[in-house]
Amino acid sequence: QVQLVESGGGSVEAGGSLTLSCTASTVTDKYAMGWFRQAPGKEREGVATLPRLFSRRGGTHYAASVEGRFTISRHNAKNTLYLRMDNLKPEDSAMYYCAASLRDPVVLRVADFDYWGQGTQVTVSS
C-alpha cells in the first residue's frame, strides 16, 4: 500500500500560480495517479490524471474547468507527482488531494482511486 503526502499549497491572488507536489512511499509507475479537489460544502471532483506506465490509456486528462491552465506531470525517479496551476481563479480554491490507483480508472472518477493523501489547501483571492 502506498502512502501519499501533498505539499505546495498556499494563498495567491487571482491570476497567480502554484505548483503542488505529491511524494509517494514507493515507485509510482505502476499506479495511475491523479489530483482531485474539494471545496467546502461540495463533492470531491477530479482535476487531472495520469495513467499507469503500461496502460493503454493515452495520457493526461483534465477537467474542462482547468484545461489549458493546469499541468500534471510525474518524476518517477523521485516518486513524485506534480500539478502546476497557472492563471488561478477564485473558484479554484479548495483542498487538493493526490490519489493513486492500481487499475485503469475511469478518468476523473473518485471511486476508481484507492489511495489518498491528506490534502493541501489552495486559496485564491479576488
Side-chain angles (χ1 to χ4, degrees):
Q1 185 169 331
V2 62
Q3 282 74 51
L4 306 170
V5 180
E6 303 96 335
S7 62
S11 298
V12 298
E13 295 182 355
S17 298
L18 283 173
T19 297
L20 307 182
S21 299
C22 171
T23 300
S25 60
T26 186
V27 294
T28 58
D29 58 351
K30 65 181 180 180
Y31 296 98
M33 304 294 297
W35 286 98
F36 297 77
R37 66 187 183 187
Q38 187 169 19
K42 300 182 67 176
E43 297 293 324
R44 190 169 299 186
E45 63 179 358
V47 175
T49 57
L50 279 171
R52 296 175 297 168
L53 186 63
F54 50 85
S55 175
R56 293 182 179 180
R57 300 288 181 88
T60 59
H61 186 84
Y62 297 92
S65 59
V66 306
E67 182 73 43
R69 298 188 297 119
F70 290 13
T71 304
I72 188 171
S73 61
R74 178 168 54 198
H75 194 314
N76 288 328
K78 297 181 178 180
N79 298 333
T80 302
L81 182 75
Y82 301 97
L83 182 69
R84 178 174 177 173
M85 304 182 293
D86 294 317
N87 192 24
L88 283 161
K89 304 176 180 179
E91 52 264 41
D92 295 318
S93 296
M95 184 72 75
Y96 282 72
Y97 297 91
C98 176
S101 176
L102 283 170
R103 61 190 187 275
D104 289 331
V106 175
V107 292
L108 303 182
R109 194 166 79 176
V110 171
D112 281 355
F113 286 79
D114 306 296
Y115 309 106
W116 297 84
Q118 293 299 114
T120 186
Q121 181 68 45
V122 173
T123 302
V124 184
S125 60
S126 301

